[in-house]
């Protein structure tokens, strides 16, 4: 005789009600600590309540969409009828399943949606019903934004982004009573998971000074200079905005031209030197290059007036002077990454305008110089929001790193926010140690003057490729940059979208090798050949639109690094020279790499 199948409801019933009650009391205790961690800095005047202006913008934006649908009774009825038709289709399929019949779901998650991978989301009729109602509702809301007329493109873009954030936040996968996996974990542990989760929540709010700083990786075991950024080298110069690092050679001879790397200052440079296996810096050394890297300061209020021009002069131009002085070479190859690449492009245009010919080639990594198609980050930049942000930065002297980190995380909230909220604070599990996510959490501040100029002149007004950008007393034009360009985009980039990078390629005045790497803004760049991961596309001329270019391009397996190195060899000058030690006997080393600046955290 077949054994009777256990009642599936039993897996959601706590084993020990007394232990569960005790744990609920501990949850309340830890919740009090979390609340105190949030309110403490406010009461002391160290922080102010946030999100009021952001919420006002959300309400204002979404109300414009609502106004379109509610202003016409027929449109309102159509929208309501569409939603109820979706609900009825879910109800009908649920009734069929309850009667024992087979029934296809009325709606299914998108391919790659990991939120509903637990079997109970499909096998249990209650959770399957919740899932389908959620998907019907969220897609209905997205369609309302898409179909609304009489709203401008920027408002529609913001509304799409806000609806997506709300939908991601309200997913039944985020709540104990509506997620079978969380409900089981709570029942099995008698609520012990909730105690651990609330404890971590309190710790993360306290660590963020009253703001929740979600831990995406275990924080123990990582230390810059010990387990991260360990490639040997020396800091050979420093000023207010940067340290300059020269790395120790790993070959007996090196290419004649040195390389100066300009990373972003929104994050720290050691993304290019996470560990020996992933280090692009070490890999360049192993190919026989002399490598200098700018390590930007993590600023405080004293540097509030440091401008975009200051970063150009003190960050890049002064570094070029020092590289030239140390090596004796009058031709230098430049590499710029993300906003560091934007600054590099501006600097090259300024150098062209002033007759400075030291730059021989330039490589841009996931860099925007044209911001027409700059993606979801443009949601945060319009005149009203920018005025509010500038007022905040004037008061502080800088923009806090966690605010930029939050914006970046929101671009992929279903990957970088909600999975960690559920794992950390509901399951009560520590995230796995991951060097890349440790780096991602090691955010930096932005000086007020610099960041304001960047947002206004690039994201808001797109002055550079329009030919209306003035800096250092010069009107700058990207078409004056006639040196060879290697321009790398990444296929799934949410920060510097590939379409945006492609558009920027049109504006240079010389030859451009446009390349697209698989994966995103970080993994697509930091992709060592030994891993044999992803792919890249090359070969097609920069013509037409990005999708047409991608169809015509040649897809190759693996890393783009060897392709770049072949391009660099093709633009090499003369024979190799003996390897250069840090300082080259000209600059006096100050300290070991990675230096002090990169270790500063707030």
């Amino acid at each position: 005789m077949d054994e009777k199948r256990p009642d599936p409801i039993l897996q959601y019933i706590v084993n020990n009600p007394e232990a569960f009650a005790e744990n609920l009391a501990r949850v309340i205790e830890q919740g009090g600590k979390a609340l105190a961690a949030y309110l403490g800095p406010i009461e002391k005047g160290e922080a102010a309540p946030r999100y009021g202006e952001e919420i006002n913008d959300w309400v204002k934006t979404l109300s414009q969409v609502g106004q379109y649908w509610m202003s016409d009774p027929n449109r309102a009825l159509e929208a309501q009828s569409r939603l109820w038709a979706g609900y009825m289709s879910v109800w009908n399929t649920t009734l069929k399943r309850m009667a024992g019949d087979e029934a296809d779901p009325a709606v299914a998650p998108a391919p790659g949606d990991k939120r509903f991978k637990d079997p109970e989301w499909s096998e249990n009729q209650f959770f399957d019903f919740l899932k389908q109602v959620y998907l019907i509702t969220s897609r209905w809301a997205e369609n309302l934004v898409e179909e609304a007329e009489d709203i401008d493109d920027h408002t529609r873009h913001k509304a799409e982004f806000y609806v997506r954030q709300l939908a991601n936040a309200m997913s039944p996968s985020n709540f104990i009573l509506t997620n079978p996996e969380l409900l089981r974990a709570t029942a099995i542990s008698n609520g012990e998971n909730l105690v651990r989760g609330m404890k971590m929540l309190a710790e993360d709010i306290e660590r963020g000074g009253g703001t929740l700083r979600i831990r995406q990786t275990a924080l123990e075991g990582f230390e810059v200079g010990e387990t991260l950024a360990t490639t040997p080298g020396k800091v050979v110069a420093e000023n207010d905005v940067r340290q300059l690092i020269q790395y120790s050679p790993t070959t007996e001879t090196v290419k004649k031209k040195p390389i100066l790397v300009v990373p972003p200052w929104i994050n720290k440079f050691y993304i290019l030197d996470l560990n020996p296996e992933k280090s692009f810096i070490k890999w360049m050394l192993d190919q026989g290059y002399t490598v200098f890297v700018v390590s930007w300061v993590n600023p405080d209020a004293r540097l509030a007036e440091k401008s975009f021009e200051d970063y150009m002069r003190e960050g890049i131009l002064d570094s070029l002077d020092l590289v030239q002085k140390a090596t004796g070479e009058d031709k230098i190859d430049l590499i710029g990454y993300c906003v560091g690449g934007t600054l590099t492009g501006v600097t090259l245009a300024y150098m062209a305008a002033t007759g400075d010919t030291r730059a021989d080639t330039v490589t841009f990594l996931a860099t925007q110089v044209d911001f027409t198609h700059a993606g979801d980050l443009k949601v945060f930049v319009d005149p009203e929001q920018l005025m509010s942000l500038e007022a905040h930065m004037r008061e502080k002297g800088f923009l806090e790193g966690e605010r930029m980190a939050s914006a970046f995380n929101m671009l992929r909230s279903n990957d970088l926010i909600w999975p960690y909220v559920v794992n950390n604070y509901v399951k009560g599990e520590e995230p796995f140690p991951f060097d890349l996510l440790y780096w991602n959490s090691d955010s930096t501040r932005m000086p007020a003057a610099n960041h304001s100029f960047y947002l206004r002149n690039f994201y808001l007004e797109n002055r550079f490729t329009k030919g209306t950008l003035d800096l250092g007393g010069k009107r700058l034009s990207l078409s004056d940059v006639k040196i060879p360009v290697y321009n790398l985009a990444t296929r799934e980039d949410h920060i510097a979208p590939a379409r945006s990078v492609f558009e920027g390629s049109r504006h240079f005045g010389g030859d451009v090798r446009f390349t697209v790497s698989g994966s995103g803004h970080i993994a697509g760049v930091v992709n060592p050949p030994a891993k044999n991961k992803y792919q890249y596309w090359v070969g097609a001329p920069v013509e037409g639109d990005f999708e047409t270019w991608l169809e015509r391009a040649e897809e190759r397996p693996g890393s783009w690094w060897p392709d770049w190195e072949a391009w660099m060899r093709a633009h090499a000058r003369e024979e190799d020279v003996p390897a250069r030690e840090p300082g080259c006997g000209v600059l006096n080393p100050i300290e070991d790499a990675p230096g002090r600046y990169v270790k500063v955290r707030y």
Side-chain angles (χ1 to χ4, degrees):
M1 180 182 294
D2 294 336
E3 292 185 10
K4 186 177 180 180
R5 186 178 179 184
D7 189 342
I9 198 67
L10 293 178
Q11 63 184 320
Y12 302 118
I13 298 177
V14 296
N15 299 318
N16 188 332
E18 184 177 345
F20 182 71
E22 291 177 358
N23 283 329
L24 284 184
R26 294 168 63 196
V27 168
I28 294 172
E29 179 186 355
Q30 292 296 331
K33 293 180 180 179
L35 183 60
Y38 169 71
L39 293 176
I42 296 175
E43 293 171 351
K44 295 175 184 177
E46 298 171 356
R50 278 187 54 196
Y51 308 117
E53 292 180 352
E54 288 91 338
I55 291 172
N56 286 339
D57 189 69
W58 285 46
V59 172
K60 179 182 176 181
T61 300
L62 295 178
S63 66
Q64 292 186 55
V65 177
Q67 175 66 23
Y68 169 78
W69 289 99
M70 298 303 294
S71 61
D72 185 328
N74 291 329
R75 278 201 298 262
L77 179 61
E78 176 199 346
Q80 293 171 10
S81 300
R82 196 187 312 172
L83 178 62
W84 282 107
Y87 288 162
M88 289 304 298
S89 65
V90 176
W91 180 245
N92 289 335
T93 58
T94 302
L95 288 177
K96 288 182 181 179
R97 290 190 61 188
M98 292 174 67
D101 297 334
E102 293 289 330
D104 293 330
V107 62
D113 190 339
K114 301 175 184 178
R115 294 175 295 176
F116 306 107
K117 63 183 180 181
D118 189 283
E120 285 286 280
W121 285 112
S122 299
E123 296 173 5
N124 185 296
Q125 294 170 18
F126 171 71
F127 292 115
D128 184 43
F129 179 81
L130 282 178
K131 175 189 69 178
Q132 292 191 65
V133 167
Y134 162 74
L135 292 173
I136 288 286
T137 306
S138 58
R139 293 178 186 178
W140 170 81
E142 290 170 356
N143 288 336
L144 290 187
V145 176
E146 182 180 342
E147 297 171 15
E149 299 175 3
D150 302 325
I151 61 174
D152 61 87
D153 290 342
H154 180 65
T155 300
R156 188 188 309 279
H157 189 183
K158 288 201 296 182
E160 290 171 346
F161 183 80
Y162 294 160
V163 165
R164 188 162 66 249
Q165 299 307 314
L166 289 170
N168 292 346
M170 297 304 295
S171 171
S173 59
N174 296 336
F175 303 97
I176 299 172
L177 295 179
T178 55
N179 183 330
E181 186 180 2
L182 300 181
L183 202 54
R184 280 198 311 272
T186 303
I188 291 170
S189 71
N190 297 306
E192 185 69 33
N193 59 310
L194 303 181
V195 179
R196 296 192 305 269
M198 191 60 73
K199 182 175 183 293
M200 280 196 282
L201 179 66
E203 292 170 351
D204 289 352
I205 294 175
E206 184 175 8
R207 186 168 57 90
T211 299
L212 176 60
R213 187 175 291 183
I214 299 173
R215 67 181 83 182
Q216 297 174 322
T217 180
L219 302 177
E220 296 75 21
F222 295 111
E223 185 176 351
V224 176
E226 297 294 332
T227 60
L228 303 165
T230 59
T231 299
K234 299 287 184 182
V235 174
V236 295
E238 65 184 40
N239 58 27
D240 285 346
V241 304
R242 65 97 181 97
Q243 288 188 313
L244 181 64
I245 301 170
Q246 181 181 357
Y247 285 92
S248 301
T250 61
T251 55
E252 292 185 0
T253 62
V254 294
K255 308 293 189 294
K256 185 174 175 59
K257 288 186 298 177
I259 291 175
L260 175 63
V261 180
V262 184
W265 57 86
I266 288 174
N267 294 104
K268 295 182 178 179
F269 82 87
Y270 67 88
I271 187 58
L272 299 175
D273 190 30
L274 282 174
N275 62 47
E277 290 73 34
K278 297 178 182 176
S279 175
F280 184 54
I281 290 172
K282 182 180 182 302
W283 187 83
M284 287 190 290
L285 294 168
D286 292 343
Q287 312 312 306
Y289 291 97
T290 301
V291 179
F292 292 80
V293 174
V294 170
S295 174
W296 297 106
V297 69
N298 194 353
D300 56 22
R302 293 173 297 177
L303 299 182
E305 297 304 317
K306 285 294 182 182
S307 65
F308 204 80
E309 181 178 344
D310 291 328
Y311 269 54
M312 176 183 77
R313 293 188 183 281
E314 299 175 36
I316 298 183
L317 293 176
D318 282 2
S319 295
L320 285 172
D321 292 341
L322 292 164
V323 172
Q324 186 177 24
K325 179 180 179 181
T327 62
E329 299 299 330
D330 58 2
K331 292 294 182 182
I332 300 166
D333 295 317
L334 288 170
I335 298 177
Y337 190 179
C338 189
V339 66
T342 306
L343 178 65
T344 299
V346 169
T347 304
L348 290 172
Y350 179 82
M351 292 170 70
T354 57
D356 188 334
T357 61
R358 289 176 291 177
D360 202 49
T361 71
V362 62
T363 298
F364 294 109
L365 308 178
T367 293
Q368 297 179 101
V369 290
D370 181 274
F371 289 75
T372 305
H373 308 297
D376 284 343
L377 282 177
K378 292 186 77 171
V379 163
F380 302 102
V381 184
D382 54 43
E384 288 186 7
Q385 291 186 89
L386 193 48
M387 285 178 62
S388 173
L389 184 66
E390 287 173 335
H392 172 79
M393 290 193 295
R394 280 195 299 271
E395 181 181 341
K396 303 280 289 188
F398 52 81
L399 182 67
E400 302 93 327
E402 58 264 23
R403 292 190 63 158
M404 283 301 301
S406 295
F408 289 146
N409 288 339
M410 287 177 70
L411 301 183
R412 295 172 53 205
S413 58
N414 270 345
D415 295 321
L416 296 176
I417 295 179
W418 297 112
Y420 296 100
V421 169
V422 169
N423 182 79
N424 301 356
Y425 311 132
V426 187
K427 289 184 180 179
E429 297 177 358
E430 281 273 0
F432 292 109
F434 189 13
D435 52 10
L436 192 152
L437 288 176
Y438 179 88
W439 167 85
N440 189 55
S441 70
D442 191 6
S443 56
T444 57
R445 296 167 167 178
M446 276 66 68
N450 178 317
H451 201 55
S452 176
F453 182 94
Y454 175 60
L455 293 179
R456 279 198 176 276
N457 287 274
F458 295 94
Y459 272 95
L460 185 62
E461 298 172 354
N462 197 24
R463 286 181 172 273
F464 195 17
T465 52
K466 290 179 180 178
T468 59
L469 181 68
D470 294 317
L471 197 69
K474 300 291 183 182
R475 175 62 58 93
L476 303 184
S477 172
L478 200 55
S479 62
D480 291 337
V481 179
K482 302 184 184 301
I483 62 174
V485 174
Y486 189 100
N487 201 13
L488 177 79
T490 58
R491 181 82 181 270
E492 300 166 22
D493 201 325
H494 292 77
I495 297 172
R499 181 186 179 196
S500 182
V501 178
F502 176 82
E503 182 63 31
S505 297
R506 304 176 188 274
H507 296 275
F508 295 102
D511 293 333
V512 178
R513 182 171 179 80
F514 180 68
T515 307
V516 175
S517 171
S519 196
H521 192 73
I522 304 301
V525 173
V526 184
N527 183 25
K531 298 287 186 181
N532 198 28
K533 292 176 66 177
Y534 311 128
Q535 70 282 90
Y536 65 100
W537 292 263
V538 290
V542 181
E543 298 173 352
D545 57 29
F546 172 68
E547 289 72 20
T548 301
W549 180 92
L550 200 60
E551 291 175 0
R552 295 174 179 172
E554 176 189 351
E555 181 178 344
R556 298 177 182 176
S559 171
W560 61 272
W561 293 9
D563 180 78
W564 170 81
E565 210 277 317
W567 180 85
M568 288 288 286
R569 284 200 310 271
H571 293 91
R573 289 172 177 258
E574 305 177 21
E575 300 296 323
D576 290 358
V577 298
R580 305 174 176 113
E581 293 298 326
C584 304
V586 178
L587 304 178
N588 294 321
I590 297 170
E591 59 184 331
D592 290 338
R596 306 186 315 282
Y597 284 18
V598 74
K599 296 179 182 180
V600 173
R601 296 182 69 118
Y602 294 108

